[in-house]
Amino acid sequence: QQPPPPPQKSTSAPNPTQPQNNHQQTSNQPKTCQLPTPLIQPNTPLPPPLPKPTYSFYQRVLPKTLTSFTSLEGKTRFAQSLQSKHAESYFPLSQQFLTQMDPAYCGISTLVLVLNALAMDPNVRWRGGWRWYGDESMLLERCCLEEERVRREGITLEEFGGLARCQGVNLVVKRPLESDGCDDVSLNDEGMVVKSTMQSEFYGIDEFRRDIIMSVQMPPRTRWDDDEDENDNDEAVSIIPSKHLRSEDDGDGTNIDSHNGGGYFLVTSFARYALHQTGDGH
């Protein structure tokens, strides 16, 4: 006699913002958007495929206007930043560094890095029993952005913010102040703020510089930091993980912010050609 067939298993897509007791694999899960407005409207056609490259190259020569991190000058600046407490965010971010799987995945890969640095639990398995943002597929398989669409055109600043919010991150987007096209200009304690006809807020260079200094001096605290503090000091106070981001399109900004720790990470979107590099948005 044949043995009875094994019981069938069904997979479900848990809400990433709610803890689950039984964590399922991420494959074959429906792509549901947790946002009030989908990142991509239904039935939006895909952009045309990218043309095939006619040649290949290995790396690029760094422009003379930029300083290599591994050069003597780069090491000196890094040491100075450590001594002056302006490199505090380097360590939680660098230990989560990953190489993007596709040239157009810069936004997706950056978000994966930041989510792990924030100690965010995806609430679904990545591999085996590990719940972790292991690669970009952890985001692409769980949201309404098609993988092929991202391969062809990347993601916009708004889509980056939407993906972060889908994972439970508190985020503030700050766009740069343009030299024209703005009628209502006002100054406040946070820098120059301009309201456009679309009621979007734009910020000046002083605001951007303050955000940079704040982010490198005070990264978000996570439960990992609290565990280390408890080992060093029995009276350490626990702080709930912080979440904050920022980006700049040649200045556009997104801030992932913390409610209890006060710190945040800064993500910057910029145009490569402004730094004399090859390529465009990054």
Side-chain angles (χ1 to χ4, degrees), residues 3 44 46 64 104 121 170 190 202 209 212 218 224 226 235 240 262 264 266 268:
T44 301
L46 287 173
K64 295 181 179 180
D121 187 343
N170 297 313
E190 300 299 326
F202 297 82
R209 288 168 175 163
I212 292 176
M218 187 182 296
W224 300 335
D226 300 333
E235 297 179 356
I240 297 176
Y264 57 85
L266 179 72
T268 303

Side-chain angles (χ1 to χ4, degrees), residues 146-166:
E146 302 161 275
E147 182 175 355
E148 184 59 29
R149 182 183 302 279
V150 177
R151 286 181 185 273
R152 295 185 185 186
E153 63 180 5
I155 61 174
T156 66
L157 188 65
E158 288 73 21
E159 291 165 352
F160 180 90
L163 284 172
R165 293 185 181 98
C166 276

Side-chain angles (χ1 to χ4, degrees), residues 5-265:
Q8 295 184 354
K9 297 182 180 180
S10 60
T11 60
S12 60
N15 187 330
T17 61
Q18 297 178 354
Q20 302 290 328
N21 293 327
N22 298 318
H23 302 282
Q24 303 291 342
Q25 297 286 351
T26 59
S27 58
N28 300 324
Q29 290 182 349
K31 297 184 178 182
T32 57
C33 189
Q34 307 293 329
L35 302 175
T37 303
L39 298 178
I40 298 293
Q41 294 299 325
N43 302 320
T44 301
L46 287 173
L50 297 175
K52 293 185 178 180
T54 57
Y55 62 92
S56 65
F57 53 88
Y58 177 73
Q59 298 185 335
R60 287 290 198 186
V61 177
L62 192 68
K64 295 181 179 180
T65 53
L66 302 179
T67 302
S68 171
F69 181 62
T70 57
S71 67
L72 178 59
E73 176 66 18
K75 294 176 182 178
T76 300
R77 293 187 184 185
F78 182 65
Q80 292 172 345
S81 298
L82 286 176
Q83 294 175 355
S84 61
K85 303 295 183 181
H86 286 86
E88 298 301 305
S89 62
Y90 171 80
F91 298 98
L93 290 172
S94 63
Q95 66 182 356
Q96 305 301 341
F97 183 81
L98 74 161
T99 301
Q100 60 194 68
M101 296 175 60
D102 191 272
Y105 279 8
C106 48
I108 301 289
S109 303
T110 299
L111 183 56
V112 170
L113 184 156
V114 172
L115 288 170
N116 286 328
L118 289 170
M120 300 290 288
D121 187 343
N123 290 315
V124 292
R125 294 180 185 177
W126 167 54
R127 297 286 189 273
W130 292 97
R131 300 197 309 273
W132 189 252
Y133 290 97
D135 52 49
E136 296 90 341
S137 64
M138 290 289 292
L139 297 179
L140 295 173
E141 291 179 354
R142 300 172 61 194
C143 203
C144 52
L145 280 178
E146 302 161 275
E147 182 175 355
E148 184 59 29
R149 182 183 302 279
V150 177
R151 286 181 185 273
R152 295 185 185 186
E153 63 180 5
I155 61 174
T156 66
L157 188 65
E158 288 73 21
E159 291 165 352
F160 180 90
L163 284 172
R165 293 185 181 98
C166 276
Q167 306 305 313
V169 172
N170 297 313
L171 177 141
V172 178
V173 176
K174 295 185 177 181
R175 290 192 172 276
L177 176 64
E178 299 291 346
S179 58
D180 56 3
C182 300
D183 299 326
D184 184 11
V185 181
S186 61
L187 284 173
N188 64 11
D189 294 337
E190 300 299 326
M192 183 175 291
V193 179
V194 177
K195 292 188 177 181
S196 69
T197 55
M198 299 299 292
Q199 299 301 315
S200 297
E201 290 189 347
F202 297 82
Y203 295 80
I205 187 65
D206 291 337
E207 168 80 359
F208 181 41
R209 288 168 175 163
R210 281 194 291 269
D211 283 345
I212 292 176
I213 294 173
M214 183 71 175
S215 66
V216 298
Q217 288 183 326
M218 187 182 296
R221 291 183 60 87
T222 69
R223 58 178 176 270
W224 300 335
D225 301 313
D226 300 333
D227 291 341
E228 292 178 0
D229 288 344
E230 289 176 0
N231 292 332
D232 297 335
N233 182 4
D234 293 337
E235 297 179 356
V237 178
S238 177
I239 299 178
I240 297 176
S242 322
K243 309 151 182 124
H244 200 96
L245 260 334
R246 158 154 188 155
S247 13
E248 306 266 323
D249 214 17
D250 218 359
D252 279 353
T254 308
N255 290 18
I256 299 177
D257 123 292
S258 140
H259 289 302
N260 294 290
Y264 57 85
F265 290 129

